[in-house]
Amino acid sequence: MHGIPRKALTEEEQGASSLKSAKLRDLQSQVLHFHHNKIYTEEAIEISAKLLESNPEHYTGWNYRKLAVQYRLDRRSEDGVDSESIQSILDEELRVVENALKKNFKSYGAWHHRKWVLSKGHSSTDRELRLLSKFQKLDSRNFHAWNYRRFITALKKIPDEEELQYTTDMIYDNFSNYSAWHNRSVLLSNLMEKGGKQYDKENVLGEEYEFVRNALFTDPDDQSGWFYHLWLLDQTLKQEPVFLSSWPPNGSNLYLSLDGRLKGQQSLPILHFQSKARKFPLVLYFSEAVEGVSSSTVTVEYQDGDSLLWTPLSANNFGFSQAWLTYLKFPDEVPSSEALPVKVTIAHFPGITSSKGMPCSQSCHISFSVCVTSDDQEHSEVQSSHRISWKEENFKARATQSLEANLLHSFSKLEITKENKPSTPKWSMEIISTEIAHCRELLSSTNCKIGKLTLARLLMAHKTLISYGIPDDGTEVHYEDILALYQDLMKMDPAHICYYEDGYTLVLLKQLTSNIESLLKHCDRYQESSSPSTNPYLCVRLNGLSLSRIGSTEHLLWVQMLDLSHNELRSIEGLETLQLLSCLKLSHNRLCSFTSLEPLKKLKYLEVLDISHNEIGAHSIDTRRYLCSSPLTHAVGGDWYFQKFVDGDVKLNNHWDAYLLFKDLNLVQLEMIGNAVGDERFKAFLLKLMPELKWLDGEKCR
Amino acid sequence: MEHLRLNGAYWGLTTLDVLGKLGAVDQDKVVSWIMQCQHESGGFGGNIGHDPHVLYTLSAIQVLALFDKIDVLDVEKVANYIASLQNEDGSFAGDIWGEVDTRFSYIAICSLALLHRLDKINVEKAVNYIVSCKNLDGGFGCTPGAESHAGQIFCCVGALAITGSLHHVDKDLLGWWLCERQVKSGGLNGRPEKLPDVENGGISDRPDDAVDVFHTYFGVAGLSLLEYPGLKAIDPAYALPVDVVNRIFLGK
């Protein structure tokens, strides 16, 4: 029951209440009796009306009435006599429903009974519309009424354009009618999809932005208009997916070798790859999640041109992903004197589509070359036996100038090739710029929270469109301004601070990776001082930046060693696209469960992992339980061989998430101290799951 | 409120279990009463003698799950009743009278999952229907085109979670819409510009209103999700205690 004040009933009130209950119970048992014995006399039906008009929630009563109607209709056709007209039988039902609705406007049973009557086709839809107008004047937000309206307009085949006018009228009547705005979005989606000149997307959006601006300027604190504005923005930005970046990068020359760790001296780690398995990954990264990447939509000209298997790199096993992966074999000739060219054409014929249904209609291509260097037998043994300590003194800033110049040269290869720029319509940029101006105007006179958030989103959209190659129209947009907006929001609306932290993080990462100079500032050489003969690594350091999530991975596909420690990460979604990662530091973050580490299962080359000093096991609620594949989400099949890994008395249910994670990882080194898990039995369990593991929490374990 | 006594049983008993006090109840009595609510079609009514409907069938299964007594059911019969209510477009009717609502999609998916009989329905079509109810704000309504409402969103997101289909949810968009449900008083409303209600986030619907078992259940469940001390963890998709869900899906 809603909205009933809490007060003790007086004796008189108690008496009246129990009398009422007794009457109701009596009616209920009578109706059930009639129902079970199929008694459809006038008196019986009248009693059911009494019941439903005082308790519209008694669903069995409505079922009884439907059977009574069917009985009367059948009997009427048998009799042949004009006993009662179909009209009067059905009108009676409508009367009972109306009375029941007076009692409870939101009764599902009553509304459905009305629909059932109308579906019989003998009632006036005009009358229903008049009734609806009455109802909606009383309560314009009643979703039952709106749903019924949709049912009637479909029955009466009222065109969407007319209903659109109705929403216009409702909105002019009261801007704060979320239900009307919502309906408008549904109708316009249908009309834009149908096509036709009048409902051309550019025209519609232009008009709608103007229409909603009235609402926003009239009452900036009302949410309805802002949510509609957000939908318009989404429609404006809904574009074709665009190919963004790859690894190996376009125009690069990749050095392949069979053994050992990263070689840093003669060439750059980003363009080096070692694999005993004689294959290397090819990763394609798109602007949004797409499906349809396969050997029929992407052609790779290389060696004998085998049919390649492409897999999506999303954290869950969904057909859509931003990043797609395949493997290419090393060149057959070892060592090769010449570099072998590889050309990848991402074709334009139908096949690759975004999750929003937009096709990738522009073909583009990348090319790079590969060659195999000689094996360095001496180094291979030393490489595999030392432990990464992550000590601060082992990090050295970009040492030599030549190294820096070389890095700069390589990084420039990572930018999107000029030929591959997308053809996004110019009007989207025009609209964004106009909206930025209006939003800034609004915020100059009101300090409105959602307005600020909208401006931040608009500015980011502007930046994104530019990064896709749309010429800048002169609107001033700086990353610092967007970051400042999010900081303002965190102060204005501390209850939603986590949401704003996410927004801030994404902007920060975009800023950081947006040009070579800023990215270089976060790259350090790493040399393990305890094993000076091993080669240095190139480590990207994004530690201590208050990052709450991962973003901008299209610029980081080449990263092999990554330090994300001392941040606010609760999720690492996005890391699955960094296929080359072999050393990852996630210590001192806010990771709450093993389920949040699921993206790591896609990282085939990951050997060194530090998840120490997080919050794993410290929470009774795992909020990421359904965001990973497990028996709970009906996504795990026959590989649930939990039993054989567990000793007799270890609590199986407590470690199912650790099992699902670590069974797919081939770690050599793991740090997990400082979490609320990890007793000796658990450690023994991990050793069984990962036979390659040599170091656990700093100690040799085999 | 006689017609929804079976729901009341689920709300009351789950609350007791979350508070660690399920032992106070006479299990056998409850189970035998529940079985008396079963109709010959396999579905359960809200009370003895009431017509079958999925709303009460789910509550029956959930209560039996609390007691680890799902095996008293003729699982095939119940599963067939539920599966028979799926329509061509993937949607579900609540009963033979045909009302369609995404609440019933959730109920069907949750029930069949608990009975390990999800294969009796076309899951892909069921998911597609739910996705067709997704709105401009990232939320879900009861039928395609219907406005987003927190209750419907729980049902749709729950159903997508159980079927491993959460990738269809725009987490950032919907997450923001949901967190905007919190009003100044700290309570949560179900839709923009409406009153807060504990069923969305006390033990009455709002402070100073009368208490009832429905809102008590939602209040306690909410507290459990917020990790309030002394409460068992509740699973957000099956709306049952986590140890019950783990026993059904992970235990051997």
Side-chain angles (χ1 to χ4, degrees):
Chain A
M1 301 309 290
H2 291 100
I4 302 194
R6 180 187 309 172
K7 51 184 172 104
L9 295 174
T10 65
E11 231 184 83
E12 199 178 279
E13 284 167 334
Q14 264 182 28
S17 166
S18 35
L19 197 65
K20 212 169 128 196
S21 308
K23 261 200 180 131
L24 207 56
R25 266 198 293 273
D26 182 51
L27 283 173
Q28 281 168 168
S29 58
Q30 282 189 69
V31 170
L32 286 183
H33 168 74
F34 299 143
H35 183 49
H36 294 147
N37 294 292
K38 302 203 203 313
I39 297 169
Y40 304 119
T41 61
E42 222 179 281
E43 296 80 18
I45 294 173
E46 185 47 44
I47 286 173
S48 73
K50 275 211 187 75
L51 170 62
L52 290 167
E53 286 165 10
S54 40
N55 183 9
E57 301 312 309
H58 197 282
Y59 70 99
T60 307
W62 291 113
N63 296 350
Y64 166 75
R65 281 199 81 90
K66 291 184 183 70
L67 288 167
V69 166
Q70 279 178 349
Y71 171 82
R72 286 152 86 191
L73 291 176
D74 290 343
R75 192 189 61 183
R76 199 186 143 274
S77 59
E78 272 166 29
D79 280 351
V81 179
D82 194 24
S83 33
E84 6 167 35
S85 70
I86 299 179
Q87 203 69 47
S88 69
I89 294 174
L90 296 179
D91 274 353
E92 200 180 308
E93 295 311 300
L94 293 179
R95 230 183 348 260
V96 174
V97 169
E98 221 178 303
N99 290 337
L101 285 177
K102 285 198 184 104
K103 189 75 177 22
N104 178 8
F105 205 41
K106 303 182 181 179
S107 164
Y108 284 97
W111 283 105
H112 183 249
H113 194 73
R114 206 170 183 92
K115 275 191 196 156
W116 183 83
V117 171
L118 263 289
S119 322
K120 298 238 172 269
H122 295 275
S123 314
S124 156
T125 46
D126 282 331
R127 185 177 67 181
E128 294 306 294
L129 285 171
R130 280 199 299 276
L131 196 67
L132 272 169
S133 293
K134 231 174 62 186
F135 279 147
Q136 287 181 299
K137 278 201 175 60
L138 289 169
D139 178 5
S140 60
R141 295 298 305 278
N142 183 315
F143 66 85
H144 293 274
W146 280 100
N147 289 346
Y148 188 68
R149 193 187 175 86
R150 256 183 294 275
F151 167 75
I152 293 292
T153 53
L155 209 59
K156 202 170 190 276
K157 298 206 196 326
I158 293 180
D160 286 340
E161 290 87 339
E162 262 182 61
E163 278 304 285
L164 191 66
Q165 186 56 46
Y166 180 76
T167 63
T168 311
D169 297 337
M170 294 288 280
I171 289 167
Y172 272 127
D173 197 45
N174 175 13
F175 279 137
S176 170
N177 193 331
Y178 193 91
S179 310
W181 286 111
H182 162 80
N183 265 276
R184 207 174 168 77
S185 76
V186 175
L187 294 162
L188 281 172
S189 298
N190 291 344
L191 289 166
M192 286 195 286
E193 205 173 318
K194 272 190 246 175
K197 246 185 98 183
Q198 198 196 351
Y199 291 101
D200 172 63
K201 199 165 159 187
E202 189 184 342
N203 292 336
V204 169
L205 289 177
E207 279 177 25
E208 291 304 303
Y209 273 113
E210 217 179 290
F211 188 42
V212 79
R213 206 170 299 141
N214 291 323
L216 299 179
F217 274 81
T218 307
D219 185 3
D221 287 316
D222 186 273
Q223 296 198 334
S224 326
W226 289 109
F227 275 104
Y228 190 71
H229 190 270
L230 184 60
W231 175 71
L232 292 175
L233 186 60
D234 184 58
Q235 293 298 300
T236 310
L237 295 172
K238 190 167 150 179
Q239 308 292 356
E240 287 184 6
V242 164
F243 166 72
L244 285 185
S245 68
S246 66
W247 191 88
N250 185 35
S252 58
N253 187 36
L254 183 66
Y255 292 93
L256 303 170
S257 78
L258 292 174
D259 249 322
R261 286 264 170 98
L262 302 171
K263 293 192 177 100
Q265 256 82 6
Q266 69 274 47
S267 260
L268 306 137
I270 6 170
L271 298 174
H272 241 139
F273 187 75
Q274 291 77 29
S275 167
K276 293 189 185 93
R278 301 194 51 108
K279 58 177 188 176
F280 66 96
L282 169 58
V283 180
L284 300 178
Y285 197 106
F286 294 83
S287 56
E288 57 184 291
V290 294
E291 71 167 353
V293 173
S294 68
S295 50
S296 43
T297 51
V298 178
T299 42
V300 181
E301 289 162 48
Y302 172 66
Q303 293 203 116
D304 42 4
D306 289 327
S307 188
L308 297 168
L309 182 67
W310 289 90
T311 50
L313 282 172
S314 51
N316 45 62
N317 290 318
F318 175 31
F320 288 89
S321 173
Q322 272 187 280
W324 286 79
L325 167 73
T326 192
Y327 288 98
L328 298 177
K329 289 199 293 246
F330 277 19
D332 294 326
E333 212 184 289
V334 174
S336 50
S337 43
E338 274 172 32
L340 251 91
V342 185
K343 184 173 176 197
V344 183
T345 309
I346 301 153
H348 60 74
F349 47 75
I352 299 180
T353 6
S354 74
S355 55
K356 292 185 177 157
M358 307 289 284
C360 198
S361 72
Q362 246 207 331
S363 155
C364 56
H365 48 259
I366 57 168
S367 18
F368 54 90
S369 57
V370 296
C371 63
V372 182
T373 61
S374 55
D375 287 333
D376 204 334
Q377 294 294 345
E378 284 172 37
H379 273 119
S380 60
E381 267 188 54
V382 182
Q383 292 286 102
S384 53
S385 68
H386 80 278
R387 186 182 155 258
I388 307 279
S389 67
W390 296 99
K391 285 208 192 100
E392 206 48 53
E393 69 237 28
N394 293 334
F395 287 99
K396 294 168 181 55
R398 289 74 59 213
T400 62
Q401 218 179 26
S402 67
L403 181 63
E404 192 160 320
N406 279 330
L407 277 172
L408 263 169
H409 174 77
S410 304
F411 279 134
S412 66
K413 303 281 185 191
L414 298 174
E415 284 175 16
I416 309 171
T417 323
K418 296 293 178 258
E419 302 100 66
N420 294 335
K421 292 294 189 222
S423 58
T424 318
K426 266 190 27 215
W427 57 260
S428 22
M429 180 63 107
E430 281 164 17
I431 286 184
I432 300 292
S433 300
T434 312
E435 289 308 304
I436 289 175
H438 284 294
C439 216
R440 280 178 167 154
E441 192 195 320
L442 179 73
L443 288 171
S444 64
S445 52
T446 48
N447 198 23
C448 158
K449 170 188 100 172
I450 299 192
K452 283 204 154 141
L453 183 58
T454 302
L455 181 59
R457 286 173 175 152
L458 284 165
L459 294 173
M460 266 304 263
H462 192 272
K463 280 281 188 206
T464 305
L465 288 178
I466 290 187
S467 75
Y468 290 174
I470 302 182
D472 196 340
D473 58 351
T475 310
E476 292 270 307
V477 180
H478 303 289
Y479 283 115
E480 289 75 17
D481 297 334
I482 314 179
L483 291 170
L485 279 168
Y486 277 110
Q487 281 172 324
D488 268 349
L489 285 164
M490 289 188 231
K491 289 200 205 85
M492 275 177 87
D493 185 16
H496 296 150
I497 199 168
C498 294
Y499 182 81
Y500 302 127
E501 275 175 357
D502 274 2
Y504 184 92
T505 295
L506 289 176
V507 177
L508 185 64
L509 284 171
K510 207 162 159 86
Q511 179 189 42
L512 221 134
T513 56
S514 60
N515 64 64
I516 298 159
E517 288 77 27
S518 61
L519 189 50
L520 264 180
K521 289 201 191 94
H522 292 270
C523 294
D524 283 354
R525 282 176 77 237
Y526 180 89
Q527 176 81 58
E528 193 65 46
S529 55
S530 58
S531 352
S533 57
T534 61
N535 294 310
Y537 297 76
L538 184 66
C539 181
V540 171
R541 303 203 73 192
L542 298 174
N543 51 322
L545 295 171
S546 304
L547 302 177
S548 60
R549 61 192 287 179
I550 309 291
S552 298
T553 51
E554 65 267 27
H555 297 285
L556 301 171
L557 296 178
W558 51 274
V559 177
Q560 295 182 1
M561 185 174 182
L562 180 60
D563 180 0
L564 283 167
S565 63
H566 296 275
N567 278 303
E568 306 290 321
L569 293 171
R570 277 173 230 100
S571 137
I572 53 168
E573 256 177 62
L575 277 188
E576 67 279 355
T577 60
L578 305 187
Q579 286 292 297
L580 302 188
L581 269 184
S582 74
C583 303
L584 177 61
K585 186 162 197 241
L586 287 168
S587 61
H588 296 94
N589 274 288
R590 317 273 310 269
L591 299 166
C592 295
S593 59
F594 287 118
T595 53
S596 63
L597 296 174
E598 199 193 22
L600 300 180
K601 285 162 67 164
K602 289 270 195 302
L603 301 179
K604 295 301 166 207
Y605 302 107
L606 190 66
E607 291 183 337
V608 174
L609 177 65
D610 182 347
I611 49 172
S612 62
H613 301 286
N614 275 284
E615 299 171 20
I616 300 175
H619 293 268
S620 53
I621 298 282
D622 175 5
T623 59
R624 303 195 65 86
R625 202 163 142 85
Y626 287 94
L627 291 169
C628 70
S629 305
S630 78
L632 296 168
T633 59
H634 296 86
V636 167
D639 51 354
W640 184 241
Y641 296 127
F642 201 9
Q643 294 288 104
K644 67 176 182 178
F645 284 106
V646 177
D647 295 326
D649 52 7
V650 170
K651 280 260 175 187
L652 317 184
N653 285 352
N654 293 351
H655 298 313
W656 65 273
D657 45 358
Y659 169 76
L660 281 177
L661 172 70
F662 289 109
K663 74 174 176 59
D664 284 343
L665 295 183
N666 274 318
L667 299 178
V668 169
Q669 175 184 335
L670 173 66
E671 259 85 29
M672 50 176 286
I673 198 169
N675 286 291
V677 289
D679 61 4
E680 289 314 305
R681 271 206 299 244
F682 183 73
K683 288 188 177 176
F685 170 59
L686 285 182
L687 286 176
K688 266 200 207 165
L689 273 180
M690 294 186 288
E692 308 291 320
L693 194 68
K694 289 203 185 75
W695 304 91
L696 181 55
D697 283 332
E699 286 176 16
K700 252 201 159 134
C701 49
R702 281 187 214 273
Chain B
M1 289 295 124
E2 299 282 316
H3 62 277
L4 45 66
R5 186 171 288 191
L6 196 34
N7 290 156
Y10 159 71
W11 295 321
L13 293 169
T14 308
T15 307
L16 280 177
D17 199 4
V18 170
L19 293 167
K21 298 277 190 278
L22 190 61
V25 167
D26 183 338
Q27 207 179 98
D28 294 328
K29 239 182 171 170
V30 175
V31 171
S32 93
W33 171 75
I34 287 177
M35 295 314 289
Q36 287 182 71
C37 296
Q38 190 172 27
H39 189 258
E40 59 191 8
S41 60
F44 287 76
N47 205 337
I48 300 173
H50 290 238
D51 281 353
H53 194 287
V54 291
L55 284 167
Y56 312 105
T57 308
L58 174 60
S59 291
I61 296 171
Q62 284 170 318
V63 173
L64 292 173
L66 287 175
F67 293 136
D68 198 6
K69 282 273 189 295
I70 287 187
D71 47 14
V72 313
L73 288 174
D74 177 347
V75 171
E76 278 302 299
K77 194 162 182 208
V78 182
N80 287 336
Y81 168 75
I82 297 169
S84 72
L85 293 166
Q86 184 170 34
N87 296 317
E88 251 316 294
D89 62 359
S91 66
F92 282 86
D95 63 9
I96 52 169
W97 296 106
E99 184 189 358
V100 170
D101 189 315
T102 44
R103 285 179 297 150
F104 308 146
S105 300
Y106 167 71
I107 286 172
I109 287 170
C110 183
S111 307
L112 292 172
L114 289 170
L115 297 175
H116 299 295
R117 292 288 188 283
L118 258 186
D119 52 355
K120 280 198 183 280
I121 56 168
N122 187 328
V123 174
E124 193 185 329
K125 277 190 167 172
V127 167
N128 288 342
Y129 181 77
I130 292 172
V131 174
S132 76
C133 298
K134 198 162 47 152
N135 293 320
L136 71 104
D137 44 29
F140 296 85
C142 54
T143 44
E147 193 183 333
S148 301
H149 178 277
Q152 302 293 148
I153 291 171
F154 162 72
C155 289
C156 292
V157 174
L160 293 176
I162 293 172
T163 53
S165 315
L166 278 177
H167 47 261
H168 289 292
V169 177
D170 185 333
K171 297 201 284 289
D172 293 324
L173 182 61
L174 179 57
W176 182 56
W177 189 90
L178 287 170
C179 73
E180 280 296 299
R181 298 305 107 237
Q182 186 166 34
V183 297
K184 283 205 187 70
S185 65
L188 295 132
N189 61 27
R191 292 186 283 157
E193 311 298 331
K194 293 237 118 198
L195 286 177
D197 191 313
V198 83
E199 77 192 59
N200 301 301
I203 317 286
S204 47
D205 59 340
R206 50 192 70 93
D208 298 331
D209 273 358
V211 304
D212 61 65
V213 71
F214 172 75
H215 290 100
T216 302
Y217 160 74
F218 282 103
V220 170
L223 287 170
S224 164
L225 289 171
L226 292 169
E227 299 185 36
Y228 194 85
L231 298 177
K232 269 166 78 170
I234 195 160
D235 181 287
Y238 294 92
L240 287 168
V242 166
D243 58 350
V244 172
V245 175
N246 284 359
R247 187 210 320 130
I248 292 174
F249 292 100
L250 304 171
K252 289 285 177 214

